Amino acid sequence: MRARASRRRQRRGQEHGNRDRWLITYADLITLLLIFFVMMFAISRLDTTKYDDVTQALQNTFRTGDSIVEMGSGLTGTADVNTTRNPPPDTENEGAITGSEGKDTLSPRELAFRKQEQELQNLMGVIQKYVEDNNLQNQIFVADEPRGISITLSDRFLFDPGRAALKPGSAPTLSKLASLFRNLDTPVSIEGHTDNVPVGSGSVYRDNWDLSGARALSVLRFFIEREQLDPTHFQYAGYADTRPVGDNSTAAGRQKNRRVEITVLRQLQQ
């Protein structure tokens, strides 16, 4: 009887122990989840400055270190630690420059792009100031567009109706633009535009295509003949009424469409 009772108590103890085994697994799972969320929290608060410093240090170490096969002085080398080798030249970024914080390395193309953008923004600022100082806001419009800095001149400012000869009063402004273009190593596009009203029967121009091209050419010749600018930096075209910016059914819209656009083109894209 005593042996039977002892076996019964032993069996109950084993059953009780088996019922509590799940607590161990549950505790392990909770611990792992806690560690996981702590790691996620730590990653989300990464110190980018320290990360950049560590990355730069590792890159420098592996760039200048030698392999163990060469008995070098790198991480796995066994030679004298005072013996170092010159790092290999970086041909891909040759000629690059280090930024103000010593971390950002700019390629020659990036430097050229930034220089170009600075020149274009300076040009735009000077022209805008000139327009304001001379009260030409209704005749000259300046805008920064994806193609480049666009300078739009109204036909009333440049030409008499139906004519392509420049008005004498437009010379000071065109000379000012020429002085700004002189030191730019950037192509300049000159484009003539008209409204959709056909030229008169007595006009020397066959149609609006002929008129728009002649007006663009007049501005071009002013720059290269009178101002002696380099002709290789210029191009011109006439678009007639195919690229309207206003409503040709209204007088105000037709006036906006009669224009010459001078665009200092962007050569580089980031």
Side-chain angles (χ1 to χ4, degrees):
M1 291 294 293
R2 290 182 179 177
R4 186 180 304 171
S6 176
R7 285 195 299 272
R8 189 180 298 116
R9 285 194 300 270
Q10 184 177 3
R11 191 181 305 115
R12 288 199 196 99
Q14 291 176 350
E15 291 175 355
H16 179 73
N18 291 334
R19 286 198 301 269
D20 293 341
R21 286 180 181 276
W22 67 272
L23 289 175
I24 299 175
T25 303
Y26 179 76
D28 289 342
L29 176 63
I30 294 300
T31 302
L32 291 174
L33 286 175
L34 176 61
I35 294 173
F36 172 75
F37 284 114
V38 169
M39 291 179 62
M40 293 295 292
F41 178 75
I43 294 174
S44 67
R45 299 177 59 85
L46 178 65
D47 189 330
T48 57
T49 301
K50 292 183 177 179
Y51 178 80
D52 290 341
D53 291 338
V54 172
T55 302
Q56 186 67 31
L58 289 174
Q59 289 177 347
N60 291 337
T61 299
F62 284 111
R63 187 182 298 119
T64 59
D66 306 317
S67 69
I68 190 171
V69 176
E70 300 173 350
M71 298 297 292
S73 58
L75 290 177
T76 58
T78 57
D80 188 352
V81 294
N82 293 325
T83 304
T84 59
R85 296 174 58 187
N86 294 327
D90 188 354
T91 56
E92 181 178 356
N93 294 321
E94 185 175 358
I97 187 171
T98 302
S100 58
E101 296 182 359
K103 297 176 183 177
D104 299 330
T105 301
L106 304 180
S107 67
R109 179 178 177 83
E110 179 70 16
L111 287 173
F113 173 79
R114 293 194 179 189
K115 180 182 178 182
Q116 171 190 260
E117 287 302 305
Q118 186 62 50
E119 289 179 347
L120 292 179
Q121 294 307 313
N122 291 342
L123 172 67
M124 183 174 177
V126 171
I127 297 174
Q128 287 177 329
K129 188 176 187 306
Y130 177 85
V131 170
E132 294 174 0
D133 292 345
N134 293 274
N135 297 317
L136 297 173
Q137 291 88 342
N138 294 328
Q139 306 295 333
I140 302 176
F141 309 92
V142 187
D144 188 351
E145 299 181 351
R147 292 180 62 208
I149 302 301
S150 175
I151 308 159
T152 302
L153 297 94
S154 169
D155 77 321
R156 292 182 301 183
F157 178 73
L158 295 174
F159 312 104
D160 290 322
R163 304 288 298 275
L166 291 170
K167 289 182 178 180
S170 65
T173 297
L174 293 178
S175 295
K176 176 64 175 179
L177 292 177
S179 68
L180 299 176
F181 297 158
R182 194 175 304 278
N183 296 323
L184 289 178
D185 188 19
T186 304
V188 177
S189 177
I190 304 173
E191 302 168 356
H193 303 268
T194 68
D195 57 24
N196 64 345
V197 178
V199 298
S201 57
S203 174
V204 298
Y205 305 104
R206 184 169 56 183
D207 52 25
N208 281 328
W209 287 99
D210 196 12
L211 177 60
S212 63
R215 287 182 165 182
L217 183 58
S218 292
V219 176
L220 172 63
R221 290 194 181 280
F222 182 93
F223 288 144
I224 64 176
E225 293 178 0
R226 177 166 173 172
E227 295 296 329
Q228 301 295 307
L229 298 183
D230 186 353
T232 61
H233 289 170
F234 289 88
Q235 61 190 41
Y236 87 99
Y239 293 104
D241 61 339
T242 60
R243 299 186 179 184
V245 293
D247 186 357
N248 273 315
S249 65
T250 66
R254 290 192 295 272
Q255 178 59 59
K256 290 181 65 177
N257 291 333
R258 297 192 298 269
R259 68 199 190 276
V260 171
E261 292 183 357
I262 304 174
T263 305
V264 182
L265 300 174
R266 284 185 168 89
Q267 289 183 288
L268 302 173
Q269 298 294 329
Q270 192 172 28

